[in-house]
Every structure is written in C-alpha cells, then in structure tokens.
C-alpha cells in the first residue's frame, strides 16, 4: 500500500513545523484517539495517554514510512501507550467464553430461532436515539462494562472506520475472531438500546 | 438448509464489514425474506453501529491538551519559520 499524496504533504508539513497542520490533525483524530485510550486505560487518564502518544508520534514521525495510513499508525501508538497504563484488573473475556455465552443465549430457542426477539424501536436513526441523554449515559456505562477486546474493536471499527485488516494488525487477532468481537459488541449495544426502548430505563 | 436465526444474527454483523457473496448470501437473503425478527435485527444492528460512531464523535477535542501539545510541537521545531536561505544545520532539510 503506498502513501497517498495528500498524506505525504501532511507529514512533510508536520515535519516542517506547520502548527496549523498539527492543529488540524490533532482535531481530526482526537475523538478516535480518545475512544481507544478510554477503552483501554479508562476515561480518567485518556487525555494523558493521548498526550504521551502524541509526544512519541512526533518523535517517530521522521521515520514514518507510510506503510499504514497516518490514522492507523497514530491509533496503534495510542493503543500501545494505553496498554502500558492499563488498569491492572482489565477484564478480557476469552473468545471461548464469548462463544459459550452465545451458545446459551436465552433469546434463542433450542432450534436457534428467536424466542425473545428485539422490539420495534420508535426512533430509527442514531440522532433520534441519542436525543435521550439517559441513553447516552446508559450506553457509556455499558460500553465500560464490555470486555476490553470487544470495546476496542468496536471503537476502532465503528467509530474509527479502520479497516478489518488494520484491526487485525493493531489488535493482533485473526479475522474470524475480530468478527466475533465486533458482533458481540454490536449485539450488546443493540440490547442496551432495545431495553431502553422498552422500559425507558437503563 | 437455511441458516438459523442465530447464524443469521452473526452474518448480519459480517455484512456490515464485508458483504457475503454467493450461495451463502443467497441463503441469508432467503432467510431474511421469511423472518421479520432477523430483518429487524439487521436494521437495529446497523443503527447500533452508527450510534457508536455518533457517540464517539461527541468527544470534542480537549483544547487545553491541544495547546500543551502545540507548545511541545513548537519546541520540537525550535528554529523559526524557514526564512530566506537560512539552512538548518541538520542533514534533513525541511522543504516548506
Ligand atoms: Zn430469523
């Protein structure tokens, strides 16, 4: 994969010390960097992690070869930095355990058909749904409870738009395992929204 | 044999990342045609995925952090704007 012209210019501009470019790139990648830092190290030190990551990134930038996109390079640095600061008790559920939970998911009957399907939702766009502050809080709370590997995969893919290849590389997980992580995480989000739709409560 | 709802649920997530093809896709479509619950699940899974995107977009850049890093960035590039023909002493020249 070769580096795009646009990205080359951005990097040259950063190396030349262009402050405007730095601001733009900082702003552009902040939300994903934050999500990833928060997913791994927790919200309380997410900004510290981002700071450390940027300091490392700026130091390493002259050696950046463009084998990945700038974004995926930055996210890898954040993820690594966050891992060194990770809370000791980080909960990582094994793939086997995830498969087992799925195998016994009570929403399905013994023929693996829906016995307890999700309800019809009133709001049908993310914008509609997030109008409810309670749901926003509820989602954040439940994201925090997800196993770390699911949460990070979800943020990188659905919030960050990183490709499946990039996810496999950064997380060092096989494509089939990434698919499991993503499905379980999305399924959890769906269940949280569904519960909120039915009860108006978290 | 058509896939079960449970298999379809997983395939619908796969579809978000990389659409299925061939016979597998055909069987998925056939199941969806007959199963309102899975159709609904597929739509809701898409909404859920997009909701995570929107939620993350609400993380607004921390301005204090940006200013802190900006001054670090400035220090990394001590030498002021490359003016006229002042060559830096480093071997790596920075084209402006
Ligand atoms: Zn079905």
């Amino acid at each position: 994969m070769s580096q795009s012209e646009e990205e080359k210019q951005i990097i040259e501009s950063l190396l030349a010390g262009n402050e405007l470019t730095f601001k733009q790139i900082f702003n552009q990648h902040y939300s994903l960097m934050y999500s990833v830092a928060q997913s791994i190290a927790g919200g309380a030190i997410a900004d510290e992690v981002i700071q450390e990551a940027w300091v490392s990134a700026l130091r390493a930038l002259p050696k950046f070869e463009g084998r990945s996109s700038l974004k995926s390079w930055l996210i890898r640095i954040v993820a690594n930095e966050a891992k060194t600061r990770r809370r000791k008790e980080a909960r990582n559920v094994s793939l086997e355990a995830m498969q087992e939970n799925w195998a016994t998911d009570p929403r399905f009957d013994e023929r693996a058909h829906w016995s307890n399907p999700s309800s019809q939702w009133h709001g049908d766009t993310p914008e509609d749904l997030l109008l409810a502050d309670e749901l926003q809080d509820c989602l954040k709370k439940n994201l925090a409870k997800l196993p770390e590997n699911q949460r990070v995969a979800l943020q990188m893919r659905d919030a960050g738009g990183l490709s499946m290849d990039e996810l496999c590389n950064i997380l060092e997980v096989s494509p089939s395992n990434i698919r499991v992580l993503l499905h379980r995480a999305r399924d959890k989000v769906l269940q949280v929204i569904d519960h909120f739709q039915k009860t108006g409560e978290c | 044999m058509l896939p079960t709802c449970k298999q379809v649920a997983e395939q619908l997530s796969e579809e978000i990342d990389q659409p299925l093809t061939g016979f597998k896709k055909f069987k998925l479509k056939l199941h969806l045609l007959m199963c309102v619950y899975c159709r609904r699940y597929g739509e809701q899974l898409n909404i859920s995925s997009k909701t995570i995107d929107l939620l993350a977009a609400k993380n607004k850049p921390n301005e204090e952090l940006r200013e802190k890093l900006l001054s670090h960035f400035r220090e990394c590039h001590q030498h002021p704007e490359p003016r006229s023909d002042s060559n830096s002493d480093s071997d790596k020249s920075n084209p402006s």
Side-chain angles (χ1 to χ4, degrees), chain A residues 49-115:
Chain A
V49 168
I50 296 177
Q51 180 174 348
E52 288 306 312
W54 263 114
V55 170
S56 311
L58 289 172
R59 200 184 307 127
L61 193 64
K63 283 179 274 168
F64 178 66
E65 286 170 339
R67 273 195 301 242
S68 61
S69 69
L70 181 62
K71 173 168 156 183
S72 123
W73 184 72
L74 286 171
I75 295 310
R76 182 196 288 272
I77 296 177
V78 172
N80 287 339
E81 187 60 44
K83 281 181 198 159
T84 69
R85 306 282 307 269
R86 158 161 60 198
R87 290 158 298 183
K88 287 277 182 296
E89 71 278 20
R91 201 171 69 93
N92 244 334
V93 172
S94 71
L95 265 297
E96 291 76 27
M98 276 178 217
Q99 296 295 27
E100 219 173 288
N101 285 339
W102 180 242
T104 56
D105 193 306
R107 287 172 296 166
F108 298 91
D109 64 21
E110 64 285 354
R111 290 173 310 134
H113 290 162
W114 290 108
S115 58

Side-chain angles (χ1 to χ4, degrees), chain A residues 129-184:
Chain A
L129 293 173
L130 292 185
L131 283 179
D133 288 339
E134 298 93 327
L135 179 59
Q136 289 196 32
D137 294 341
C138 182
L139 283 170
K140 285 180 193 160
K141 208 164 87 191
N142 278 283
L143 286 174
K145 283 195 236 162
L146 278 183
E148 182 193 293
N149 43 5
Q150 283 185 29
R151 181 170 58 236
V152 177
L154 181 73
Q155 294 291 2
M156 287 184 180
R157 178 73 190 131
D158 285 356
L162 292 180
S163 71
M164 295 297 272
D165 282 348
E166 288 173 315
L167 257 72
C168 291
N169 281 329
I170 298 175
L171 299 175
E172 293 169 345
V173 179
S174 72
S176 66
N177 286 353
I178 293 276
R179 284 196 286 272
V180 173
L181 293 176
L182 285 173
H183 173 252
R184 300 303 183 269

